[in-house]
Amino acid sequence: MLALDLGGRGIAGFFTPGAALAAARALRRARRVLIVTGFSVPPGIAETDGPPGAAVLGRALHRLGVAVHHVTDAPASAPLRAALESLGEPADVGSLGAPTDVTIYEPGQARAVLTRLRPTHLVAIERPGRSRSGEYLSARGESIGGWNAPLDELFLADGAGRPRRGASAGGAARRRARRPTTIGVGDGGNEIGMGNVRGRLAREGALMARIASVVCVDHLVVAGTSNWGAYGIVAGLERLTGRSLLHTADDERRLVEACVGAGAVDGLLRHREPTVDGLPLTIHAAVVELLRRAAPATPARRAAVRSP
């Protein structure tokens, strides 16, 4: 289901079976999680892809007793707050000076964020990752660094997120012991985490080679839209824990509509309407319902989570 490429962008070729469940297994050991999201397109307007996935994953982790903190930048803060509020999650937005559910990131704050919040896990959902040139680029090849703070610095601190060529197994294990476990969710090649498959992305043509991110993660989840990838991780957590954690199709509609009401646009169409990556709400609601029916491990539990 996550590999459905209804937008025809070819990203299904980079999907790895079992990746969402592997990310869920990693998060089962989490104590403190930072969820990073928000992808702004010219002229600095956040997409509808990302904040809904971040809100749904954050709520699931909260229900499992994990301390969750969301990190974004100013353009995406209102849509993220709206998504959280639509699920009844804490949505105070503030700076690093106070403990709030959403931190607005400013360049150069990576070490301060990591030192203060001490995350055991970092998750990026539809967040730009720098390209080989150091730029942040849209799927069209536009420079978007002026509207997207360098949140990938969180994933690059202490050597995390950099290509691991030539590293010894022992050295890699020591680094992992000192830094958070990292998870990236993407759907276009230019997001945090896509550095894991950059070589393959670069073979897709000159544009992809130019925009592809170099930022690596421990667990990469690729999906038709990044929201679906986040929902897939939640479905994995539901299967692993035996608890109902996914939202409903009606919740999905409210999530996307809340983001649009807060100023977000469809990242592909660049229109302010309740769509995500060019696909209507009916499609996204249907994917959520399919995941709800597939996530439980037993037929009895499948029946229990069906919508009325």
Side-chain angles (χ1 to χ4, degrees):
M1 284 182 280
L2 297 186
L4 287 172
D5 188 13
L6 300 182
R9 294 188 288 169
I11 202 65
F14 302 94
F15 174 80
T16 302
L21 186 58
R25 287 196 179 101
L27 287 169
R28 283 289 289 130
R29 301 186 294 273
R31 300 186 303 280
R32 296 174 300 278
V33 177
L34 296 191
I35 301 177
V36 179
T37 194
F39 196 120
S40 294
V41 295
I45 303 173
E47 292 189 8
T48 50
D49 196 16
V56 170
L57 178 58
R59 185 181 72 165
L61 292 169
H62 270 148
R63 289 180 172 180
L64 295 175
V66 179
V68 178
H69 207 95
H70 295 272
V71 181
T72 190
D73 48 16
S77 62
L80 176 57
R81 182 174 59 227
L84 289 164
E85 289 174 344
S86 76
L87 291 179
E89 285 292 285
D92 292 336
V93 177
S95 67
L96 285 175
T100 58
D101 190 66
V102 179
T103 290
I104 299 176
Y105 183 90
E106 297 293 342
Q109 287 185 319
R111 292 193 181 279
V113 170
L114 295 174
T115 298
R116 183 170 73 86
L117 301 177
R118 298 180 297 111
T120 59
H121 292 67
L122 284 170
V123 183
I125 303 170
E126 186 68 9
R127 182 69 205 183
R130 65 193 64 186
S131 64
R132 178 169 286 181
S133 68
E135 298 177 283
Y136 299 92
L137 302 170
S138 74
R140 303 178 186 180
E142 307 155 301
S143 176
I144 55 173
W147 303 294
N148 291 275
L151 268 72
D152 56 354
E153 290 176 347
L154 294 166
F155 292 76
L156 295 168
D158 300 321
R162 299 191 185 281
R164 300 175 179 81
R165 291 189 294 271
S168 68
R174 286 191 294 275
R175 282 194 298 277
R176 283 195 296 272
R178 294 195 300 267
R179 64 168 176 79
T181 297
T182 55
I183 297 167
V185 182
D187 62 13
N190 53 351
E191 302 94 353
I192 291 172
M194 287 296 189
N196 289 32
V197 292
R198 191 193 180 282
R200 290 163 55 197
L201 288 166
R203 292 194 288 273
E204 295 297 305
L207 176 60
M208 185 60 80
R210 180 169 167 252
I211 72 171
S213 173
V214 298
V215 183
C216 299
V217 290
D218 298 313
H219 299 278
L220 172 64
V221 178
V222 177
T225 76
S226 293
N227 284 341
W228 299 354
Y231 303 160
I233 296 173
V234 176
L237 285 168
E238 184 163 311
R239 174 162 290 194
L240 291 171
T241 63
R243 295 183 57 180
S244 294
L245 299 171
L246 275 164
H247 60 314
T248 67
D250 287 341
D251 289 333
E252 175 69 3
R253 296 184 185 95
R254 285 192 291 269
L255 275 166
V256 177
E257 288 170 350
C259 289
V260 173
V265 299
D266 184 304
L268 290 184
L269 302 179
R270 308 285 173 93
H271 295 160
R272 190 176 170 184
E273 56 189 51
T275 59
V276 181
D277 286 351
L279 300 174
L281 266 181
T282 52
I283 297 293
H284 298 285
V287 168
V288 170
E289 185 58 28
L290 286 169
L291 285 170
R292 281 171 55 81
R293 292 173 181 260
T298 66
R301 288 210 61 248
R302 287 194 185 98
V305 299
R306 287 176 183 165
S307 297

PDB file of all heavy atoms in Angstrom, residues 259-288:
ATOM      1  N   CYS A 259      -4.866  21.858   7.848  1.00  0.00           N
ATOM      2  CA  CYS A 259      -3.603  22.402   7.322  1.00  0.00           C
ATOM      3  C   CYS A 259      -3.870  23.470   6.261  1.00  0.00           C
ATOM      4  O   CYS A 259      -3.221  24.529   6.256  1.00  0.00           O
ATOM      5  CB  CYS A 259      -2.757  21.278   6.724  1.00  0.00           C
ATOM      6  SG  CYS A 259      -2.053  20.159   7.941  1.00  0.00           S
ATOM      7  N   VAL A 260      -4.816  23.209   5.383  1.00  0.00           N
ATOM      8  CA  VAL A 260      -5.158  24.194   4.345  1.00  0.00           C
ATOM      9  C   VAL A 260      -5.735  25.450   4.989  1.00  0.00           C
ATOM     10  O   VAL A 260      -5.399  26.580   4.600  1.00  0.00           O
ATOM     11  CB  VAL A 260      -6.153  23.587   3.336  1.00  0.00           C
ATOM     12  CG1 VAL A 260      -6.644  24.658   2.347  1.00  0.00           C
ATOM     13  CG2 VAL A 260      -5.494  22.441   2.573  1.00  0.00           C
ATOM     14  N   GLY A 261      -6.584  25.260   5.997  1.00  0.00           N
ATOM     15  CA  GLY A 261      -7.137  26.409   6.700  1.00  0.00           C
ATOM     16  C   GLY A 261      -6.067  27.258   7.359  1.00  0.00           C
ATOM     17  O   GLY A 261      -6.256  28.469   7.553  1.00  0.00           O
ATOM     18  N   ALA A 262      -4.931  26.620   7.694  1.00  0.00           N
ATOM     19  CA  ALA A 262      -3.813  27.340   8.315  1.00  0.00           C
ATOM     20  C   ALA A 262      -2.839  27.890   7.281  1.00  0.00           C
ATOM     21  O   ALA A 262      -1.780  28.409   7.644  1.00  0.00           O
ATOM     22  CB  ALA A 262      -3.077  26.427   9.285  1.00  0.00           C
ATOM     23  N   GLY A 263      -3.176  27.756   5.989  1.00  0.00           N
ATOM     24  CA  GLY A 263      -2.357  28.370   4.944  1.00  0.00           C
ATOM     25  C   GLY A 263      -1.553  27.439   4.083  1.00  0.00           C
ATOM     26  O   GLY A 263      -0.843  27.898   3.169  1.00  0.00           O
ATOM     27  N   ALA A 264      -1.607  26.121   4.316  1.00  0.00           N
ATOM     28  CA  ALA A 264      -0.798  25.180   3.532  1.00  0.00           C
ATOM     29  C   ALA A 264      -1.366  24.998   2.129  1.00  0.00           C
ATOM     30  O   ALA A 264      -2.552  25.236   1.876  1.00  0.00           O
ATOM     31  CB  ALA A 264      -0.720  23.832   4.242  1.00  0.00           C
ATOM     32  N   VAL A 265      -0.506  24.550   1.218  1.00  0.00           N
ATOM     33  CA  VAL A 265      -0.908  24.296  -0.171  1.00  0.00           C
ATOM     34  C   VAL A 265      -0.473  22.900  -0.582  1.00  0.00           C
ATOM     35  O   VAL A 265       0.386  22.284   0.056  1.00  0.00           O
ATOM     36  CB  VAL A 265      -0.279  25.317  -1.141  1.00  0.00           C
ATOM     37  CG1 VAL A 265      -0.709  26.734  -0.812  1.00  0.00           C
ATOM     38  CG2 VAL A 265       1.254  25.209  -1.144  1.00  0.00           C
ATOM     39  N   ASP A 266      -1.076  22.403  -1.637  1.00  0.00           N
ATOM     40  CA  ASP A 266      -0.613  21.164  -2.259  1.00  0.00           C
ATOM     41  C   ASP A 266       0.767  21.439  -2.860  1.00  0.00           C
ATOM     42  O   ASP A 266       0.925  22.344  -3.678  1.00  0.00           O
ATOM     43  CB  ASP A 266      -1.610  20.740  -3.341  1.00  0.00           C
ATOM     44  CG  ASP A 266      -1.276  19.411  -3.978  1.00  0.00           C
ATOM     45  OD1 ASP A 266      -0.139  19.263  -4.505  1.00  0.00           O
ATOM     46  OD2 ASP A 266      -2.130  18.510  -3.979  1.00  0.00           O
ATOM     47  N   GLY A 267       1.761  20.653  -2.468  1.00  0.00           N
ATOM     48  CA  GLY A 267       3.132  20.934  -2.881  1.00  0.00           C
ATOM     49  C   GLY A 267       3.388  20.769  -4.364  1.00  0.00           C
ATOM     50  O   GLY A 267       4.302  21.407  -4.907  1.00  0.00           O
ATOM     51  N   LEU A 268       2.611  19.925  -5.030  1.00  0.00           N
ATOM     52  CA  LEU A 268       2.781  19.737  -6.471  1.00  0.00           C
ATOM     53  C   LEU A 268       1.946  20.715  -7.272  1.00  0.00           C
ATOM     54  O   LEU A 268       2.420  21.330  -8.229  1.00  0.00           O
ATOM     55  CB  LEU A 268       2.430  18.299  -6.861  1.00  0.00           C
ATOM     56  CG  LEU A 268       3.393  17.206  -6.391  1.00  0.00           C
ATOM     57  CD1 LEU A 268       2.952  15.850  -6.935  1.00  0.00           C
ATOM     58  CD2 LEU A 268       4.823  17.493  -6.828  1.00  0.00           C
ATOM     59  N   LEU A 269       0.687  20.881  -6.884  1.00  0.00           N
ATOM     60  CA  LEU A 269      -0.216  21.759  -7.633  1.00  0.00           C
ATOM     61  C   LEU A 269      -0.016  23.223  -7.284  1.00  0.00           C
ATOM     62  O   LEU A 269      -0.383  24.103  -8.060  1.00  0.00           O
ATOM     63  CB  LEU A 269      -1.667  21.362  -7.366  1.00  0.00           C
ATOM     64  CG  LEU A 269      -2.053  19.915  -7.711  1.00  0.00           C
ATOM     65  CD1 LEU A 269      -3.521  19.674  -7.375  1.00  0.00           C
ATOM     66  CD2 LEU A 269      -1.775  19.618  -9.180  1.00  0.00           C
ATOM     67  N   ARG A 270       0.529  23.482  -6.077  1.00  0.00           N
ATOM     68  CA  ARG A 270       0.728  24.836  -5.555  1.00  0.00           C
ATOM     69  C   ARG A 270      -0.614  25.567  -5.397  1.00  0.00           C
ATOM     70  O   ARG A 270      -0.667  26.795  -5.497  1.00  0.00           O
ATOM     71  CB  ARG A 270       1.685  25.652  -6.448  1.00  0.00           C
ATOM     72  CG  ARG A 270       3.015  24.957  -6.751  1.00  0.00           C
ATOM     73  CD  ARG A 270       3.948  24.988  -5.571  1.00  0.00           C
ATOM     74  NE  ARG A 270       5.147  24.205  -5.774  1.00  0.00           N
ATOM     75  CZ  ARG A 270       6.300  24.694  -6.260  1.00  0.00           C
ATOM     76  NH1 ARG A 270       6.386  25.961  -6.597  1.00  0.00           N
ATOM     77  NH2 ARG A 270       7.360  23.912  -6.397  1.00  0.00           N
ATOM     78  N   HIS A 271      -1.673  24.825  -5.157  1.00  0.00           N
ATOM     79  CA  HIS A 271      -2.981  25.403  -4.916  1.00  0.00           C
ATOM     80  C   HIS A 271      -3.362  25.223  -3.455  1.00  0.00           C
ATOM     81  O   HIS A 271      -3.046  24.192  -2.856  1.00  0.00           O
ATOM     82  CB  HIS A 271      -4.059  24.731  -5.784  1.00  0.00           C
ATOM     83  CG  HIS A 271      -3.873  24.957  -7.249  1.00  0.00           C
ATOM     84  ND1 HIS A 271      -4.453  24.151  -8.196  1.00  0.00           N
ATOM     85  CD2 HIS A 271      -3.174  25.899  -7.932  1.00  0.00           C
ATOM     86  CE1 HIS A 271      -4.121  24.573  -9.399  1.00  0.00           C
ATOM     87  NE2 HIS A 271      -3.352  25.630  -9.261  1.00  0.00           N
ATOM     88  N   ARG A 272      -4.074  26.195  -2.914  1.00  0.00           N
ATOM     89  CA  ARG A 272      -4.547  26.089  -1.537  1.00  0.00           C
ATOM     90  C   ARG A 272      -5.896  25.364  -1.532  1.00  0.00           C
ATOM     91  O   ARG A 272      -6.960  25.983  -1.520  1.00  0.00           O
ATOM     92  CB  ARG A 272      -4.655  27.474  -0.905  1.00  0.00           C
ATOM     93  CG  ARG A 272      -4.898  27.424   0.594  1.00  0.00           C
ATOM     94  CD  ARG A 272      -4.905  28.819   1.184  1.00  0.00           C
ATOM     95  NE  ARG A 272      -5.358  28.801   2.570  1.00  0.00           N
ATOM     96  CZ  ARG A 272      -5.537  29.878   3.313  1.00  0.00           C
ATOM     97  NH1 ARG A 272      -5.284  31.082   2.794  1.00  0.00           N
ATOM     98  NH2 ARG A 272      -5.960  29.777   4.550  1.00  0.00           N
ATOM     99  N   GLU A 273      -5.826  24.051  -1.559  1.00  0.00           N
ATOM    100  CA  GLU A 273      -7.029  23.225  -1.560  1.00  0.00           C
ATOM    101  C   GLU A 273      -6.709  21.928  -0.830  1.00  0.00           C
ATOM    102  O   GLU A 273      -5.537  21.557  -0.684  1.00  0.00           O
ATOM    103  CB  GLU A 273      -7.473  22.931  -2.987  1.00  0.00           C
ATOM    104  CG  GLU A 273      -6.412  22.280  -3.847  1.00  0.00           C
ATOM    105  CD  GLU A 273      -6.816  22.208  -5.318  1.00  0.00           C
ATOM    106  OE1 GLU A 273      -7.213  23.251  -5.878  1.00  0.00           O
ATOM    107  OE2 GLU A 273      -6.727  21.101  -5.886  1.00  0.00           O
ATOM    108  N   PRO A 274      -7.724  21.214  -0.304  1.00  0.00           N
ATOM    109  CA  PRO A 274      -7.476  20.026   0.512  1.00  0.00           C
ATOM    110  C   PRO A 274      -7.067  18.809  -0.305  1.00  0.00           C
ATOM    111  O   PRO A 274      -7.795  17.820  -0.401  1.00  0.00           O
ATOM    112  CB  PRO A 274      -8.807  19.816   1.232  1.00  0.00           C
ATOM    113  CG  PRO A 274      -9.828  20.384   0.305  1.00  0.00           C
ATOM    114  CD  PRO A 274      -9.155  21.557  -0.361  1.00  0.00           C
ATOM    115  N   THR A 275      -5.891  18.898  -0.899  1.00  0.00           N
ATOM    116  CA  THR A 275      -5.284  17.784  -1.616  1.00  0.00           C
ATOM    117  C   THR A 275      -3.845  17.645  -1.132  1.00  0.00           C
ATOM    118  O   THR A 275      -3.287  18.572  -0.551  1.00  0.00           O
ATOM    119  CB  THR A 275      -5.302  18.002  -3.137  1.00  0.00           C
ATOM    120  OG1 THR A 275      -4.578  19.221  -3.443  1.00  0.00           O
ATOM    121  CG2 THR A 275      -6.724  18.143  -3.670  1.00  0.00           C
ATOM    122  N   VAL A 276      -3.252  16.488  -1.382  1.00  0.00           N
ATOM    123  CA  VAL A 276      -1.854  16.256  -1.018  1.00  0.00           C
ATOM    124  C   VAL A 276      -1.164  15.632  -2.227  1.00  0.00           C
ATOM    125  O   VAL A 276      -1.596  14.588  -2.732  1.00  0.00           O
ATOM    126  CB  VAL A 276      -1.722  15.317   0.196  1.00  0.00           C
ATOM    127  CG1 VAL A 276      -0.249  15.122   0.558  1.00  0.00           C
ATOM    128  CG2 VAL A 276      -2.484  15.875   1.393  1.00  0.00           C
ATOM    129  N   ASP A 277      -0.125  16.287  -2.700  1.00  0.00           N
ATOM    130  CA  ASP A 277       0.642  15.805  -3.851  1.00  0.00           C
ATOM    131  C   ASP A 277      -0.242  15.483  -5.045  1.00  0.00           C
ATOM    132  O   ASP A 277      -0.071  14.469  -5.733  1.00  0.00           O
ATOM    133  CB  ASP A 277       1.482  14.590  -3.461  1.00  0.00           C
ATOM    134  CG  ASP A 277       2.681  14.973  -2.610  1.00  0.00           C
ATOM    135  OD1 ASP A 277       2.957  16.182  -2.471  1.00  0.00           O
ATOM    136  OD2 ASP A 277       3.348  14.078  -2.078  1.00  0.00           O
ATOM    137  N   GLY A 278      -1.203  16.352  -5.285  1.00  0.00           N
ATOM    138  CA  GLY A 278      -2.051  16.226  -6.461  1.00  0.00           C
ATOM    139  C   GLY A 278      -3.175  15.221  -6.345  1.00  0.00           C
ATOM    140  O   GLY A 278      -3.943  15.051  -7.299  1.00  0.00           O
ATOM    141  N   LEU A 279      -3.304  14.559  -5.205  1.00  0.00           N
ATOM    142  CA  LEU A 279      -4.325  13.528  -5.021  1.00  0.00           C
ATOM    143  C   LEU A 279      -5.429  14.044  -4.098  1.00  0.00           C
ATOM    144  O   LEU A 279      -5.146  14.653  -3.072  1.00  0.00           O
ATOM    145  CB  LEU A 279      -3.706  12.263  -4.435  1.00  0.00           C
ATOM    146  CG  LEU A 279      -2.599  11.608  -5.275  1.00  0.00           C
ATOM    147  CD1 LEU A 279      -1.973  10.448  -4.510  1.00  0.00           C
ATOM    148  CD2 LEU A 279      -3.136  11.138  -6.617  1.00  0.00           C
ATOM    149  N   PRO A 280      -6.702  13.755  -4.431  1.00  0.00           N
ATOM    150  CA  PRO A 280      -7.819  14.271  -3.629  1.00  0.00           C
ATOM    151  C   PRO A 280      -7.939  13.573  -2.288  1.00  0.00           C
ATOM    152  O   PRO A 280      -7.373  12.494  -2.054  1.00  0.00           O
ATOM    153  CB  PRO A 280      -9.036  13.974  -4.514  1.00  0.00           C
ATOM    154  CG  PRO A 280      -8.628  12.790  -5.329  1.00  0.00           C
ATOM    155  CD  PRO A 280      -7.158  12.991  -5.608  1.00  0.00           C
ATOM    156  N   LEU A 281      -8.710  14.193  -1.394  1.00  0.00           N
ATOM    157  CA  LEU A 281      -8.890  13.657  -0.054  1.00  0.00           C
ATOM    158  C   LEU A 281      -9.478  12.252  -0.056  1.00  0.00           C
ATOM    159  O   LEU A 281      -9.190  11.455   0.841  1.00  0.00           O
ATOM    160  CB  LEU A 281      -9.799  14.586   0.751  1.00  0.00           C
ATOM    161  CG  LEU A 281      -9.125  15.638   1.624  1.00  0.00           C
ATOM    162  CD1 LEU A 281     -10.162  16.455   2.372  1.00  0.00           C
ATOM    163  CD2 LEU A 281      -8.160  14.995   2.601  1.00  0.00           C
ATOM    164  N   THR A 282     -10.316  11.938  -1.033  1.00  0.00           N
ATOM    165  CA  THR A 282     -10.905  10.595  -1.076  1.00  0.00           C
ATOM    166  C   THR A 282      -9.827   9.522  -1.155  1.00  0.00           C
ATOM    167  O   THR A 282      -9.956   8.458  -0.545  1.00  0.00           O
ATOM    168  CB  THR A 282     -11.855  10.469  -2.272  1.00  0.00           C
ATOM    169  OG1 THR A 282     -11.169  10.884  -3.470  1.00  0.00           O
ATOM    170  CG2 THR A 282     -13.105  11.315  -2.080  1.00  0.00           C
ATOM    171  N   ILE A 283      -8.756   9.792  -1.893  1.00  0.00           N
ATOM    172  CA  ILE A 283      -7.662   8.829  -2.015  1.00  0.00           C
ATOM    173  C   ILE A 283      -6.949   8.663  -0.677  1.00  0.00           C
ATOM    174  O   ILE A 283      -6.692   7.550  -0.215  1.00  0.00           O
ATOM    175  CB  ILE A 283      -6.657   9.281  -3.087  1.00  0.00           C
ATOM    176  CG1 ILE A 283      -7.316   9.326  -4.468  1.00  0.00           C
ATOM    177  CG2 ILE A 283      -5.427   8.375  -3.097  1.00  0.00           C
ATOM    178  CD1 ILE A 283      -7.723   7.963  -5.009  1.00  0.00           C
ATOM    179  N   HIS A 284      -6.635   9.755  -0.031  1.00  0.00           N
ATOM    180  CA  HIS A 284      -5.898   9.689   1.229  1.00  0.00           C
ATOM    181  C   HIS A 284      -6.740   9.035   2.325  1.00  0.00           C
ATOM    182  O   HIS A 284      -6.221   8.238   3.118  1.00  0.00           O
ATOM    183  CB  HIS A 284      -5.458  11.098   1.632  1.00  0.00           C
ATOM    184  CG  HIS A 284      -4.526  11.715   0.643  1.00  0.00           C
ATOM    185  ND1 HIS A 284      -3.214  11.347   0.538  1.00  0.00           N
ATOM    186  CD2 HIS A 284      -4.738  12.653  -0.321  1.00  0.00           C
ATOM    187  CE1 HIS A 284      -2.634  12.047  -0.432  1.00  0.00           C
ATOM    188  NE2 HIS A 284      -3.549  12.837  -0.969  1.00  0.00           N
ATOM    189  N   ALA A 285      -8.027   9.354   2.362  1.00  0.00           N
ATOM    190  CA  ALA A 285      -8.905   8.718   3.340  1.00  0.00           C
ATOM    191  C   ALA A 285      -8.982   7.211   3.095  1.00  0.00           C
ATOM    192  O   ALA A 285      -9.001   6.416   4.041  1.00  0.00           O
ATOM    193  CB  ALA A 285     -10.298   9.343   3.269  1.00  0.00           C
ATOM    194  N   ALA A 286      -8.997   6.814   1.821  1.00  0.00           N
ATOM    195  CA  ALA A 286      -9.061   5.386   1.495  1.00  0.00           C
ATOM    196  C   ALA A 286      -7.794   4.660   1.921  1.00  0.00           C
ATOM    197  O   ALA A 286      -7.857   3.527   2.423  1.00  0.00           O
ATOM    198  CB  ALA A 286      -9.292   5.208  -0.003  1.00  0.00           C
ATOM    199  N   VAL A 287      -6.642   5.285   1.748  1.00  0.00           N
ATOM    200  CA  VAL A 287      -5.381   4.664   2.168  1.00  0.00           C
ATOM    201  C   VAL A 287      -5.383   4.467   3.681  1.00  0.00           C
ATOM    202  O   VAL A 287      -4.960   3.419   4.189  1.00  0.00           O
ATOM    203  CB  VAL A 287      -4.179   5.525   1.722  1.00  0.00           C
ATOM    204  CG1 VAL A 287      -2.888   5.059   2.393  1.00  0.00           C
ATOM    205  CG2 VAL A 287      -4.027   5.463   0.202  1.00  0.00           C
ATOM    206  N   VAL A 288      -5.872   5.454   4.416  1.00  0.00           N
ATOM    207  CA  VAL A 288      -5.942   5.324   5.873  1.00  0.00           C
ATOM    208  C   VAL A 288      -6.840   4.152   6.258  1.00  0.00           C
ATOM    209  O   VAL A 288      -6.497   3.333   7.123  1.00  0.00           O
ATOM    210  CB  VAL A 288      -6.448   6.635   6.514  1.00  0.00           C
ATOM    211  CG1 VAL A 288      -6.755   6.432   7.994  1.00  0.00           C
ATOM    212  CG2 VAL A 288      -5.418   7.742   6.343  1.00  0.00           C
TER     213      VAL A 288
END
